[in-house]
Amino acid sequence: MKELILILISASVVNNVVLSQFLGLCPFLGVSKKVNTALGMGGAVIFVITISSAITSTIYKFILEPNKLDYLQTIVFILVIAALVQLVEMFLKKSSPSLYNSLGVYLPLITTNCAVLGVALKNVQSGYSILESTVCGFGTAAGFTIAIVILAGIRERTEHNDIPESFKGTPIVLITAGLMAIAFFGFSGLI
């Protein structure tokens, strides 16, 4: 149990996928304009990364590794991730059309989000069990959600502030993300 808690804290805070490893920056910067949209994207990412971590770990342990097909892991993992994203996309289109429309092109981009594939590959390389892989996936996705919601909250609060013209838009967002990364760097000695 202690090992699972350490994996969870490490994946979500200490080694935050966005602010420490700089994976998944496209949706992080693109969908962080409103907190509600960021929460929706975070929920979708939590579902996709957690389930894909469990499925890819299972496929690797019971199919690829015993049959010496390790070299196919990247292709198989991408197919699993793409199928899960399609499932999430169909679900959101039916159940929450407004969230589906606000996420726009960033929802299908979860398929190519390097954070999702990075977690699946990290789980295999770390030799995690299926449960440990699932916990690591959930922790990573929770860390992504924490980072995107914090950035969205900051962007909402600074939207009507008096910012110099040269810093408006993308420059201030990148500066904010950089400062967040520095703040999260403070957690590096935690575990």
Side-chain angles (χ1 to χ4, degrees), residues 10 39-40 48 87-88 94-95 116 133 140-141 143 162-163 179-180 186:
S10 174
L39 281 170
V48 170
L87 183 70
V88 169
K94 276 280 200 210
S95 66
V116 183
S133 294
T140 301
D162 188 25
I163 298 171
L179 291 172
M180 286 175 59

Side-chain angles (χ1 to χ4, degrees), residues 37 92-93 96-105 107:
T37 308
L92 285 179
K93 194 172 190 178
S96 181
S98 61
L99 178 60
Y100 175 80
N101 290 330
S102 65
L103 291 176
V105 72
L107 186 58

Side-chain angles (χ1 to χ4, degrees), residues 83-166:
L84 286 171
V85 169
Q86 286 300 312
L87 183 70
V88 169
E89 194 171 357
M90 290 186 306
F91 175 76
L92 285 179
K93 194 172 190 178
K94 276 280 200 210
S95 66
S96 181
S98 61
L99 178 60
Y100 175 80
N101 290 330
S102 65
L103 291 176
V105 72
Y106 295 101
L107 186 58
L109 281 178
I110 294 175
T111 302
T112 59
N113 187 341
C114 51
V116 183
L117 181 60
V119 171
L121 293 173
K122 176 189 169 196
N123 291 337
V124 168
Q125 291 170 353
S126 298
Y128 287 158
S129 68
I130 296 170
L131 179 61
E132 290 172 333
S133 294
T134 306
V135 169
C136 181
F138 177 78
T140 301
F144 176 86
T145 304
I146 290 167
I148 196 171
V149 168
I150 290 173
L151 183 62
I154 293 170
R155 285 180 77 173
E156 279 186 359
R157 294 194 72 159
T158 61
E159 185 176 338
H160 301 294
N161 288 357
D162 188 25
I163 298 171
E165 194 63 37
S166 60

Side-chain angles (χ1 to χ4, degrees), residues 57-70 76:
S57 182
T58 304
I59 289 171
Y60 184 80
K61 293 246 188 264
F62 295 113
I63 298 172
L64 297 178
E65 191 176 40
N67 293 317
K68 308 265 189 279
L69 298 171
D70 300 359
V76 171

